[in-house]
Amino acid sequence: MMSTNAISVEGVTKTFRIYKEQFRTIKERALHLGRIPFSEFDAIHDISFDVPEGSMTGILGHNGSGKSTLLKCIAGTLTPTSGEISVRGRMAALLELGAGFHPELTGRENLYLAGSILGLTKLEVESRLSSIVEFAELEDFIDTQMKHYSSGMFARLGFALAANIEPEVLLIDEVLAVGDEAFQLKCLDQIRRFNESGVTMLFVTHDVDLASSICDELIVLDHGRIISQGSPREAAIDYRKSLHARNDSTEPHSTSPTEEVSIVSVSLESEDRPVMTVRSDEPIGINVIATLTKPISDLVVAYAIKTIEGTLVHSSNTKLLNVDLSGVGSELDLTFVFENLPLLEGMYEIDIGAHSLDGSTLYTQANEVKRFTLTNSSVGAGIADLAVRAQLK
Amino acid sequence: MIEKQKTSQKSRKSVDNRSIRKIFSYRELLFNLTKTELQLRYKNSVLGFIWSLLNPLLYLVVFSLVFQEILRTSIPMFAIFLLSGLLIWNFFSSSLNSGTGAIIGNASIVKKIWFPREVLPLASVGASAIHFFLQACVLVLALLIFQHEPNWAAISLLPLALLVVIVLASAGAITLSALNVYYRDIQHFLEISLLAWFWLTPIVYNYNLVADRLGSSDWVAMLNPITPVVLAFQKALHNPPAGYLPDVSLWQYFQNLAIVLSVGLILLWGSLRLFQRLDSQLADKI
């Protein structure tokens, strides 16, 4: 049986004209006889892909890779210069949470306005109103002018509206970067529910871990071209390689490590799934993927967990943990496994480094390569979560 | 609903009647945007919509003072005469004024969400229409206070005259809103053009004053498409004695309006076509 495609993109190119100077007025145009010097550049070039119905595809790319342009073309706000895009089903685009909200209007008034921009009738908004407000947790503020909202409240109402319009095709652009963590988790939850109920989703982000943890397939864009397309794990590696290539050319490391080892990815895993938030009482793994130009007999890989302020919490390395890396060929896939992390709730960072056994040669170093949130219900101040109780005599 | 069954983005869009159907399917948005524009105008103001009633009242007092007491116009019941033409002109000019900035003013939405953008200038026309009806209350009140009897037979011209203004204003607002994205000069140009246009329309003076001077070439005065509309309103509501307005049959008034309406419909069709051609580049240029 052939599965149908909800979104199909065929050879789409979007060319922007970059004017050397902006001659907007008639006088200026007349002076230049209508010829304004410009150069053309393709924000996206000959992009083709299909998104099967009910699947979740992520588009990864660094800033300026054309991922937002591509999404806008699919959403219809931009018209491609050439190529064809077709979308099957009711489409909703979350290009920016809260787009279409007017600060002078109240939350309720804005829901009707933004709802009708998204194509909902008044009755359809009315019937969803209570669930939208509940989802956004804005029961007390719905009749307040939105200029008094915090940016988080703005975004919450935006996502709540989008989550409740029951789209068949949903385009999401970097929208989860807003709101507090609790709400981000709620949004992710909603996205998973959409996924389960068969909504086709196209998800644009530069957060590799997030994308690889929720998407079925990833497309990696670099300078407007697709450089990789396929399973999340492979695509994520390709993406990191492309980022790495960019970083190497632009900012050389101050510690001047040798180039025998390059770290491709560092991720946190729980039950073999990438995660961003960990609980203090569950097993967790720090997974490191790196490429080696040649086998290194005295390779040691080290990690350090630090608080966000930079205080070292714990560090160790493969030598101390009695793992021999001399047999590793061109690709290293290593996981440091923790039974639990008895630390207090907060944000932590991971450094990864590779050096020789005696420490004389630094192969690579990646500081603050991974930031994660740890949740813990224990209270207390400091870093460590010590098992303690108070006893009165 | 959100989008119909299948949407297709092609690099070249074909121009056809679908745009009208699209606009119609977004009528709810048109209604909401109109409401929003009115809401925003009076948010945080104590007197609210009373301000829009004070505007024609002020015109009434000042123009009556100047034309009746200082310039000694011969038009009887000048206040009524002035309001009959002024209110419908205000409808037309404010539609164009706010319609021109409609797309630029909503840049944040235009860049992020797809919807038929023609709705934005049309909402400006809608808001101006609501305004017109509010201000018309002042005129009705004036008719009652001065116990001035309108020309009941000529009242039948008004729905058609109103339709003509709506069609002309829509065509203008749609065209100007899109062009204004490309040339920001449009807004300033419009401002002075409307001022000239106002004085070239027989609103504060009567039509025959001009027609008599033009003599046999009085058809020139009729080239102004708003003139037949203003004349219809003056004929119906002010109903001056013979000699002030063209002394022709109501049928002739009706015919003039019908001619302007057909021209207006052609302009509206042209404006929709132009808008569609410019539409694909709007988000890039804005």
Side-chain angles (χ1 to χ4, degrees):
Chain A
M1 204 184 95
M2 249 185 48
S3 68
T4 46
N5 290 321
I7 303 173
S8 110
V9 177
E10 276 178 57
V12 167
T13 298
K14 175 72 185 175
T15 308
F16 285 110
R17 287 184 168 186
I18 309 294
Y19 291 97
K20 298 281 188 294
E21 286 165 78
Q22 280 280 4
F23 298 119
R24 281 195 175 277
T25 60
I26 292 167
K27 184 187 123 198
E28 284 174 326
R29 287 205 173 185
L31 283 174
H32 287 83
L33 302 167
R35 285 195 300 268
I36 301 164
F38 65 84
S39 57
E40 287 190 330
F41 101 104
D42 290 351
I44 48 176
H45 183 84
D46 196 19
I47 300 282
S48 300
F49 65 89
D50 294 316
V51 180
E53 229 161 60
S55 80
M56 177 140 186
T57 299
I59 299 180
L60 272 174
H62 54 81
N63 290 335
S65 60
K67 53 193 192 314
S68 293
T69 304
L70 177 58
L71 208 62
K72 280 179 180 166
C73 285
I74 296 170
T77 51
L78 290 179
T79 309
T81 313
S82 65
E84 201 170 322
I85 296 170
S86 64
V87 177
R88 195 181 285 275
R90 274 201 325 263
M91 176 170 65
L94 288 180
L95 295 189
E96 190 173 301
L97 284 185
F101 285 157
H102 203 293
E104 291 288 332
L105 299 179
T106 68
R108 187 189 304 274
E109 287 164 348
N110 264 311
L111 284 179
Y112 284 105
L113 177 64
S116 61
I117 294 176
L118 292 168
L120 293 178
T121 66
K122 194 179 172 205
L123 274 177
E124 283 169 321
V125 176
E126 225 152 63
S127 63
R128 290 163 171 82
L129 198 74
S130 60
S131 55
I132 294 173
V133 176
E134 195 186 330
F135 188 92
E137 300 163 20
L138 286 171
E139 288 90 345
D140 299 334
F141 300 98
I142 197 61
D143 288 312
T144 307
Q145 281 182 326
M146 284 190 74
K147 62 180 172 186
H148 301 305
Y149 280 27
S150 69
S151 55
M153 289 158 86
F154 221 88
R156 257 146 63 194
L157 197 62
F159 189 89
L161 172 65
N164 279 282
I165 55 176
E166 293 154 31
E168 285 160 20
V169 177
L170 186 63
L171 311 178
I172 309 169
D173 186 5
E174 297 281 10
V175 289
L176 297 175
V178 288
D180 57 15
E181 270 162 61
F183 190 73
Q184 282 183 19
L185 290 177
K186 201 167 168 180
C187 293
L188 278 178
D189 237 39
Q190 180 66 34
I191 287 175
R192 289 212 178 86
R193 264 204 297 281
F194 274 144
N195 195 10
E196 280 157 21
S197 61
V199 177
T200 310
M201 276 178 286
L202 194 62
F203 186 86
V204 163
T205 183
H206 54 231
D207 187 336
V208 197
D209 299 312
L210 178 62
S212 46
S213 68
I214 59 177
C215 294
D216 306 320
E217 197 183 309
L218 286 183
I219 293 166
V220 182
L221 282 185
D222 189 24
H223 293 101
R225 286 155 210 263
I226 293 180
I227 57 165
S228 174
Q229 183 170 5
S231 76
R233 202 179 165 86
E234 284 157 29
I237 290 173
D238 287 338
Y239 173 65
R240 285 206 161 95
K241 277 181 184 158
S242 83
L243 270 189
H244 206 77
R246 282 163 61 83
N247 286 343
D248 275 358
S249 59
T250 51
E251 4 169 322
H253 287 282
S254 54
T255 46
S256 63
T258 60
E259 295 299 325
E260 280 112 330
V261 182
S262 51
I263 294 170
V264 171
S265 79
V266 176
S267 55
L268 280 173
E269 287 181 347
S270 173
E271 291 161 359
D272 289 331
R273 286 286 277 181
V275 291
M276 293 188 303
T277 305
V278 303
R279 283 188 15 217
S280 64
D281 57 353
E282 66 183 7
I284 194 81
I286 300 177
N287 177 258
V288 181
I289 293 176
T291 53
L292 280 59
T293 52
K294 60 176 174 34
I296 302 169
S297 56
D298 63 348
L299 180 64
V300 175
V301 174
Y303 72 87
I305 300 175
K306 300 189 303 186
T307 65
I308 201 145
E309 294 85 13
T311 311
L312 180 66
V313 174
H314 184 76
S315 85
S316 187
N317 61 42
T318 49
K319 181 184 161 195
L320 297 171
L321 297 167
N322 291 321
V323 178
D324 180 20
L325 301 178
S326 59
V328 174
S330 63
E331 190 165 318
L332 172 77
D333 186 343
L334 173 75
T335 306
F336 295 104
V337 183
F338 298 80
E339 288 309 313
N340 54 36
L341 285 177
L343 303 175
L344 289 176
E345 187 159 293
M347 296 259 270
Y348 293 90
E349 277 172 342
I350 298 170
D351 292 353
I352 296 292
H355 53 79
S356 59
L357 266 176
D358 57 4
S360 62
T361 315
L362 181 66
Y363 295 120
T364 186
Q365 182 155 7
N367 288 341
E368 287 141 32
V369 68
K370 183 83 212 153
R371 179 178 284 196
F372 67 97
T373 305
L374 183 121
T375 59
N376 189 345
S377 53
S378 301
V379 289
I383 301 169
D385 179 18
L386 304 179
V388 62
R389 65 196 163 86
Q391 210 163 29
L392 190 66
K393 270 189 182 164
Chain B
M1 273 308 297
I2 320 297
E3 276 291 307
K4 294 300 171 227
Q5 271 314 303
K6 188 171 171 171
T7 51
S8 193
Q9 276 284 318
K10 290 184 186 176
S11 50
R12 259 188 64 236
K13 273 183 189 166
S14 54
V15 180
D16 53 31
N17 298 334
R18 265 186 306 181
S19 80
I20 294 166
R21 246 180 292 156
K22 268 265 153 73
I23 295 169
F24 185 72
S25 71
Y26 273 76
R27 60 194 178 280
E28 189 107 20
L29 175 61
L30 179 58
F31 172 77
N32 273 330
L33 284 172
T34 302
K35 202 172 120 192
T36 304
E37 195 162 331
L38 290 169
Q39 271 176 330
L40 291 178
R41 206 174 297 188
Y42 303 120
K43 265 267 146 87
N44 304 327
S45 78
V46 182
L47 291 182
F49 82 97
I50 295 180
W51 281 114
S52 56
L53 303 187
L54 288 177
N55 177 289
L57 269 178
L58 185 80
Y59 259 84
L60 191 74
V61 172
V62 173
F63 276 67
S64 296
L65 189 75
V66 172
F67 281 84
Q68 214 161 324
E69 304 304 322
I70 302 174
L71 292 176
R72 299 277 169 198
T73 174
S74 65
I75 301 169
M77 280 289 181
F78 183 74
I80 307 261
F81 175 81
L82 176 70
L83 277 190
S84 316
L86 183 66
L87 295 191
I88 194 71
W89 167 263
N90 278 349
F91 174 21
F92 179 70
S93 69
S94 76
S95 295
L96 291 191
N97 253 332
S98 56
T100 301
I103 291 191
I104 288 181
N106 288 294
S108 60
I109 315 179
V110 170
K111 278 198 265 190
K112 277 157 204 151
I113 308 173
W114 186 89
F115 61 96
R117 280 94 176 229
E118 291 94 330
V119 171
L120 290 170
L122 287 177
S124 299
V125 178
S128 301
I130 305 280
H131 246 221
F132 168 74
F133 286 111
L134 283 175
Q135 297 189 332
C137 297
V138 176
L139 179 55
V140 171
L141 209 68
L143 287 175
L144 291 173
I145 290 170
F146 294 111
Q147 300 199 318
H148 187 90
E149 179 124 15
N151 183 339
W152 295 109
I155 294 274
S156 60
L157 290 172
L158 298 192
L160 181 63
L162 208 54
L163 182 66
V164 169
V165 177
I166 291 172
V167 168
L168 285 175
S170 301
I174 288 173
T175 307
L176 295 175
S177 66
L179 287 179
N180 196 35
V181 175
Y182 290 79
Y183 304 99
R184 305 285 161 111
D185 312 67
I186 299 271
Q187 212 140 11
H188 309 288
F189 179 69
L190 181 75
E191 240 167 77
I192 52 168
S193 311
L194 281 176
L195 191 64
W197 199 341
F198 171 73
W199 289 102
L200 288 174
T201 310
I203 296 168
V204 292
Y205 53 88
N206 59 305
Y207 175 80
N208 279 10
L209 216 55
V210 178
D212 291 350
R213 289 282 287 273
L214 288 169
S216 60
S217 49
D218 61 345
W219 56 270
V220 174
M222 275 296 181
L223 286 181
N224 179 352
I226 296 299
T227 298
V229 176
V230 168
L231 291 181
F233 270 85
Q234 289 167 343
K235 180 82 179 164
L237 300 174
H238 181 248
N239 193 23
Y244 287 95
L245 297 180
D247 293 304
V248 292
S249 63
L250 282 184
W251 176 241
Q252 188 64 49
Y253 276 90
F254 184 81
Q255 269 188 333
N256 285 344
L257 285 174
I259 292 168
V260 185
L261 181 65
S262 2
V263 174
L265 286 173
I266 293 169
L267 288 176
L268 184 60
W269 179 78
S271 71
L272 286 171
R273 274 195 72 135
L274 178 75
F275 197 96
Q276 271 189 318
R277 286 191 58 157
L278 298 178
D279 190 34
S280 64
Q281 301 297 319
L282 280 185
D284 298 7
K285 295 273 178 188
I286 206 162

